Amino acid sequence: MSEIIKPAPEAKPDPNAWKEQLEGKSEKVQQALINHHKKYNCAQAVACAFAEDLGRSEKEVFEIMEGFGFGMGSMTTCGAVSAMAAIAGMKESDGNLENPALKKNSYKVAKAMLKEFGDKNGSIICSDIKGIVNGQKTGKILRTCDGCVIDAAEIVEKYLAGELETDTKK
């Protein structure tokens, strides 16, 4: 009589495995990743972690950043990248509605942050990062969403600490 061999049950991924990524990270980077796992999109996760530093309420930043998730809803510019650009504007802007004078500073900071992110991850485009071209999976994933959130939060921290190379002069 032949023995019936049953396939081994598939192992289910550990839903808490992401928490290992928190180890050794700063409080803000940890908060960004925690936000992402609270179902904030990538843009919200990063920007909300720094809301207080920007003199904004988390709710306000959450609402503003909502449309930037999922690569602006169309897998274009990565949400975590969009958050960096938004943070540059919130931090650099003089808020002068009649004669804004510091736009170029915002652009320079955003450019520097986006360059650093792109150099590290190979792209700032969500579909490229996720390994999707023309709606088809390529199998070449450059970075996970968690990884993008971590990288963007670390770059923002570097900027806020004055350690990001830009040529802005205030």
Side-chain angles (χ1 to χ4, degrees):
M1 202 191 258
S2 63
E3 186 178 328
I4 298 174
I5 300 174
K6 294 181 183 177
E10 265 190 55
K12 292 184 180 180
D14 179 359
N16 292 312
W18 66 271
K19 291 180 180 175
E20 294 171 9
Q21 297 176 86
L22 296 172
E23 198 169 313
K25 300 295 181 191
S26 71
E27 181 182 327
K28 295 292 183 178
V29 173
Q30 287 184 20
Q31 187 59 57
L33 189 57
I34 289 166
N35 288 347
H36 193 243
H37 283 272
K38 288 183 353 186
K39 307 260 189 255
Y40 290 29
N41 68 37
C42 294
Q44 291 167 322
V46 173
C48 286
F50 295 94
E52 189 177 301
D53 299 282
L54 302 166
R56 313 289 171 130
S57 76
E58 184 174 357
K59 184 178 190 296
E60 174 188 21
V61 172
F62 183 90
E63 291 169 344
I64 291 168
M65 298 311 299
E66 191 155 303
F68 293 94
F70 194 64
M72 290 192 247
S74 60
M75 295 195 80
T76 55
T77 304
C78 166
V81 169
S82 295
M84 292 189 304
I87 288 168
M90 285 187 268
K91 186 72 174 166
E92 294 295 322
S93 177
D94 59 10
N96 185 339
L97 302 179
E98 300 303 318
N99 186 22
L102 297 177
K103 292 185 291 189
K104 289 183 180 178
N105 284 3
S106 296
Y107 303 157
K108 288 175 184 179
V109 170
K111 181 179 179 180
M113 288 195 284
L114 274 60
K115 181 180 182 332
E116 185 162 329
F117 185 95
D119 288 350
K120 183 170 186 171
N121 293 294
S123 183
I124 63 166
I125 304 300
C126 182
S127 59
D128 294 346
I129 295 167
K130 303 284 53 117
I132 299 171
V133 175
N134 297 325
Q136 302 296 313
K137 291 183 179 181
T138 65
K140 185 180 179 193
I141 297 171
L142 302 176
R143 194 81 163 115
T144 64
C145 289
D146 281 353
C148 290
V149 166
I150 289 168
D151 293 345
E154 288 177 341
I155 292 167
V156 169
E157 276 191 321
K158 189 174 178 179
Y159 158 60
L160 294 175
E163 299 167 0
L164 183 71
E165 285 296 318
T166 67
D167 59 355
T168 61
K169 305 276 189 276
K170 274 197 172 178

